[in-house]
Amino acid sequence: MVPYQRGRRSFVKLSMSKRVSRTAGPSPFDLHVSHQCKTPADGNGRNEEAHLAAEIEDPNRRDVLVLAANAFAAVGAASLIWPFVQQMNPDAGAKALASTEIDLTPVKEGQAITVMWRGKPVFIRNRTKDEVAAAAKTPVTELPDPEVDAKRVKAGKENWLVMVGICTHLGCVPKGQTMADSKGDFGGWFCPCHGSHYDTSGRIRKGPAPRNLEVPPYEFVSDTKIKIG
Amino acid sequence: MSNHVSTYNPQSRFAKWFDERLPIMRLVHDSFVDFPTPRNLNYLWTFGGILSFCLVAQILTGVMLAMHYQPSAEGAFNSIEHIRRDVNFGWMIRNFHAVGASMFFVAVYIHIFRGLYYGSYKAPREILWILGVLIFLAMMATAFMGYALPWGQMSFWGVTVITNLFSSLDGIIPGFGTAIVEWLWGGYSVSGTTLNRFFSLHYLLPFVITGLVILHVWALHVAGQNNPTGIELQHKSDSVPMAPYAVMKDAVGMFAFLIVFAWFVFFLPDYLGHADNYIEANPLVTPPHIVPEWYFLPFYAILRAIPSKLGGVIAMFGSILVLFFVSWLDTSRVRSTKYRPIYRWFFWLFLFSCLALGYLGAKPAEGVYVFWARVFTAYYFAHFLIVMPIVGLIETPSKMPRSITESVLGPGGGGAGTPAGAAAAPEKR
Ligand code: HEM
Ligand code: FES
């Protein structure tokens, strides 16, 4: 039986500490043990056994107590980990900023704007007919992260491309929003940090980035207004 | 060493009274005054003391900077300018701290390569070495978070790129990497919240390092110092008492180091940093060329050498983790590379690879730079995983002196020779 074995082992320890503490003066162990054992144990075999029987029970009970106390302390400490870890996650304020409305009327065909959403830049491009056509006819099989253009825009609003302007490699802001910017080999965006090229649908075509530029959750609240988040 | 009998002899009645209650003076005496030090240590052994100095200096100057610094996205950049221009001697304290970080890494790299050359990681010094690698890791974390604090463009984009490394874990469990990154940021992008927690941790970690250093020195004093021959102390004539011999040598090394330190602080304070960090952080504009501080460049080169995002991250962390295992990867019976005719060449090749990776890390990741970064990354790992185990088995070490004393005084001088000064020192050891 396991508890019995454990009890025996700690009994050995106890009696040792008893012997040591006898020379060093009374200790809590000493007091506790000696009230259980009324006859001196040394030298006499039968007394030794009685002594054992008397003591085994006691350390056993102590083992349970120690185990329970340790388990209690461990669970208590572990339950604190959750709030201590959780406090570092985005707080209520950061979550509250989670949606924003944008008026698209000033953005003419071929133009782009950058807005902030959750502290990140969001690219909104009013794509030209050519750009939309180029994005639509690219064979999906050629893409590192295959996705059709139609999945990345809203039906009937194919000219509007809305994406988080953060390179999916290591988080730089790609170039391509202004007229003077390099738009990369595929006419979309180019990330100068480690050379990722995105096409006119914001899909990764060349370079180390693993995924297409992310399309945030958004909807048209009116014909010329969108709500991101 | 552990079996070394205490020779502390309190001189006054108060010292004796105190020693019976708190034997701290005895500890200091036995650990740093009468500690047996190999008589053949060269100047590479002065960097341990120099590193202790650096740690204390960073903590002192850091505490002073923290009295004037504001850890917020709005205030941080301006508070650094305030320190540089308005605070009395703020420019100097700030330069001490910023240059001090670089000098700390100069010293730690010399210290690490010293250990690699003389086999100081071999038994019985494995734990000592592992504690050293932990200190190195903690130093890197501290310096990375410290560099975020001025909240310039390099601060911001350095934090962005490095924290984003964890998003590569999305490749293993989708969503897991992103969750970790947002947890680190405390938001959906790097922000003032991130800066604030980095300041808290930047203040904390140096004290963790201090604790690790204490364990490191403790482990050192159990095993005793290694020395250029890699032979253990055998006779009394092999060692000299730490004070004044090693202490004086340490002082000479320290002053040479401080001259270089002061040169940078007073004449080239911004030479080691990047000019873009004097432009305030702007989350909408990425600088054309993001580079970390010079001391991270070799690891940055390894990161970019691997064409896959997750693979690059694994290689970069692996390049440090492999250091934990060198005690077991090196199969040679001989410690010091001085007596290893084949390994010696590989050692210098390894040092060259690290320097080359440092150079490549500062170059754009394109064309021929990527090619060479891959070559040297491959050698970096091959050195530990192939060269160390194999060369140790096949190599015949060259002839070694029989003892430290013999290595200093030549054959025949062994045993009898005692350095003139040491003879005058108390002989009770
Ligand atoms: C292991 C020791 C330390 C290292 C390696 C270290 C490293 C750094 C680095 C690299 C910077 C950026 C310097 C710059 O480019 O401006 C920095 C800034 C800073 N550190 Fe530390 N640091 C250490 C200890 C401390 C401690 C103990 C404190 C505070 C108690 C502290 C407080 C600061 C403050 C307030 C700044 C911002 C001011 C500035 O950028 O000059 N540092 N640290
Ligand atoms: S962050 Fe854009 S290519 Fe690396």
Side-chain angles (χ1 to χ4, degrees):
Chain A
M1 257 163 58
V2 177
Y4 178 75
Q5 291 284 356
R6 284 180 55 84
R8 269 187 77 95
R9 226 179 298 134
S10 49
F11 162 68
V12 173
K13 263 191 239 140
L14 268 183
S15 56
M16 268 167 60
S17 61
K18 194 177 77 178
R19 223 163 280 145
V20 172
S21 54
R22 192 156 286 161
T23 50
S27 79
F29 280 124
D30 230 345
L31 278 178
H32 191 72
V33 173
S34 56
H35 93 263
Q36 289 283 334
C37 158
K38 303 223 163 50
T39 42
D42 305 336
N44 184 315
R46 268 190 56 200
N47 276 352
E48 189 83 50
E49 253 169 55
H51 180 130
L52 258 173
E55 288 203 356
I56 282 165
E57 252 180 13
D58 188 44
N60 243 333
R61 197 170 65 198
R62 179 169 305 172
D63 266 11
V64 172
L65 281 177
V66 167
L67 200 72
N70 283 346
F72 205 73
V75 170
S79 66
L80 277 181
I81 293 176
W82 180 246
F84 285 4
V85 167
Q86 203 54 28
Q87 54 86 17
M88 279 177 66
N89 266 324
D91 59 26
K95 284 186 190 145
L97 294 175
S99 88
T100 177
E101 279 196 19
I102 293 114
D103 182 12
L104 299 178
T105 19
V107 191
K108 302 283 169 282
E109 186 174 318
Q111 288 185 335
I113 56 166
T114 306
V115 299
M116 289 299 263
W117 170 68
R118 287 177 155 189
K120 305 183 200 191
V122 171
F123 292 168
I124 302 176
R125 196 190 269 193
N126 188 348
R127 299 188 291 179
T128 62
K129 306 240 159 23
D130 290 348
E131 286 172 341
V132 176
K137 72 165 197 280
T138 308
V140 186
T141 45
E142 274 178 23
L143 303 172
D145 180 10
E147 205 178 359
V148 292
D149 186 55
K151 273 263 170 67
R152 300 175 55 79
V153 292
K154 302 283 175 208
K157 300 276 188 193
E158 281 83 2
N159 57 323
W160 292 106
L161 182 61
V162 180
M163 303 177 305
V164 175
I166 290 189
C167 180
T168 58
H169 182 225
L170 293 175
C172 293
V173 179
K175 300 244 169 260
Q177 285 294 88
T178 67
M179 292 297 180
D181 280 356
S182 154
K183 292 186 167 54
D185 294 356
F186 298 87
W189 288 264
F190 170 68
C191 181
C193 287
H194 316 94
S196 288
H197 299 254
Y198 296 92
D199 68 10
T200 55
S201 185
R203 293 172 298 195
I204 180 68
R205 300 297 288 271
K206 191 172 137 191
R211 280 173 293 109
N212 302 333
L213 290 176
E214 182 195 341
V215 176
Y218 75 98
E219 62 197 33
F220 277 86
V221 285
S222 76
D223 210 31
T224 57
K225 217 179 213 169
I226 58 168
K227 180 164 162 256
I228 308 177
Chain B
M1 282 188 279
S2 49
N3 55 2
H4 167 64
V5 182
S6 177
T7 58
Y8 179 63
N9 189 7
Q11 293 301 309
S12 66
R13 280 181 63 194
F14 173 73
K16 191 161 180 302
W17 179 88
F18 198 87
D19 185 54
E20 280 158 8
R21 284 153 183 84
L22 178 68
I24 185 166
M25 293 313 292
R26 179 179 298 278
L27 182 69
V28 170
H29 177 89
D30 295 339
S31 318
F32 303 107
V33 178
D34 190 34
F35 188 72
T37 310
R39 64 190 282 178
N40 58 340
L41 296 187
N42 61 32
Y43 276 106
L44 289 173
W45 264 264
T46 63
F47 282 89
I50 290 172
L51 283 163
S52 313
F53 165 83
C54 287
L55 179 61
V56 173
Q58 287 305 95
I59 291 180
L60 280 181
T61 53
V63 168
M64 289 186 268
L65 287 173
M67 294 182 186
H68 307 277
Y69 171 77
Q70 290 180 10
S72 71
E74 300 73 33
F77 187 80
N78 287 337
S79 74
I80 299 290
E81 289 314 305
H82 163 72
I83 290 171
R84 288 171 59 104
R85 291 151 202 254
D86 304 343
V87 174
N88 303 322
F89 291 99
W91 60 272
M92 189 176 83
I93 296 168
R94 200 261 174 156
N95 288 351
F96 277 144
H97 196 78
V99 172
S102 277
M103 296 305 289
F104 205 157
F105 278 93
V106 170
V108 87
Y109 282 130
I110 295 176
H111 194 67
I112 292 173
F113 279 102
R114 186 280 316 261
L116 287 173
Y117 187 84
Y118 294 110
S120 303
Y121 48 82
K122 292 178 80 75
R125 298 187 181 80
E126 301 94 326
I127 297 293
L128 174 61
W129 173 265
I130 288 172
L131 283 164
V133 180
L134 287 174
I135 293 171
F136 180 48
L137 272 176
M139 269 176 70
M140 297 212 280
T142 307
F144 166 65
M145 292 195 260
Y147 193 61
L149 303 185
W151 212 235
Q153 276 288 70
M154 277 298 159
S155 300
F156 184 91
W157 291 99
V159 171
T160 301
V161 167
I162 299 300
T163 48
N164 260 310
L165 292 178
F166 290 97
S167 68
S168 63
L169 296 175
D170 280 345
I172 303 175
I173 307 172
F176 179 59
T178 308
I180 296 247
V181 173
E182 286 176 359
W183 178 73
L184 289 172
W185 287 342
Y188 304 101
S189 58
V190 175
S191 66
T193 313
T194 323
L195 173 62
N196 210 151
R197 63 186 54 184
F198 274 27
F199 180 56
S200 167
L201 295 174
H202 183 69
Y203 209 134
L204 167 71
L205 277 181
F207 296 94
V208 174
I209 296 177
T210 307
L212 288 170
V213 167
I214 291 172
L215 295 180
H216 187 72
V217 173
W218 185 2
L220 171 73
H221 282 207
V222 172
Q225 280 166 293
N226 188 23
N227 64 82
T229 62
I231 304 172
E232 291 293 327
L233 294 177
Q234 300 158 35
H235 317 293
K236 205 158 67 179
S237 66
D238 287 342
S239 70
V240 290
M242 183 158 170
Y245 301 98
V247 171
M248 281 303 138
K249 192 158 184 152
D250 278 352
V252 175
M254 174 96 76
F255 277 109
F257 181 82
L258 286 178
I259 291 171
V260 182
F261 196 141
W263 175 263
F264 276 105
V265 167
F266 293 107
F267 298 102
L268 296 166
D270 291 318
Y271 180 77
L272 296 165
H274 198 294
D276 276 8
N277 225 24
Y278 286 107
I279 304 170
E280 191 167 1
N282 180 352
L284 287 178
V285 180
T286 306
H289 190 183
I290 300 178
V291 274
E293 292 279 85
W294 69 266
Y295 37 80
F296 293 136
L297 289 173
F299 303 104
Y300 195 54
I302 291 175
L303 167 77
R304 298 188 309 176
I306 312 289
S308 116
K309 179 169 158 182
L310 181 61
V313 173
I314 291 173
M316 186 181 74
F317 284 107
S319 66
I320 298 165
L321 294 185
V322 70
L323 291 173
F324 281 110
F325 302 101
V326 290
S327 309
W328 296 278
L329 288 168
D330 181 356
T331 52
S332 169
R333 284 171 298 119
V334 175
R335 285 203 190 94
S336 176
T337 305
K338 228 172 149 176
Y339 307 110
R340 301 188 56 187
I342 303 178
Y343 181 73
R344 191 183 306 150
W345 294 100
F346 288 105
F347 175 85
W348 294 113
L349 180 58
F350 176 68
L351 180 62
F352 180 79
S353 300
C354 293
L355 295 174
L357 283 170
Y359 168 78
L360 294 164
K363 293 286 158 198
E366 54 198 35
V368 58
Y369 297 128
V370 176
F371 171 78
W372 284 110
R374 286 184 186 156
V375 170
F376 289 116
T377 299
Y379 184 68
Y380 183 100
F381 286 101
H383 182 83
F384 290 111
L385 302 177
I386 300 172
V387 172
M388 273 197 165
I390 293 180
V391 173
L393 293 177
I394 60 173
E395 170 185 63
T396 314
S398 53
K399 192 173 174 316
M400 297 177 62
R402 270 173 304 150
S403 69
I404 293 175
T405 309
E406 191 186 293
S407 81
V408 178
L409 300 180
T418 306
E427 276 298 297
K428 277 177 290 178
R429 281 169 301 118

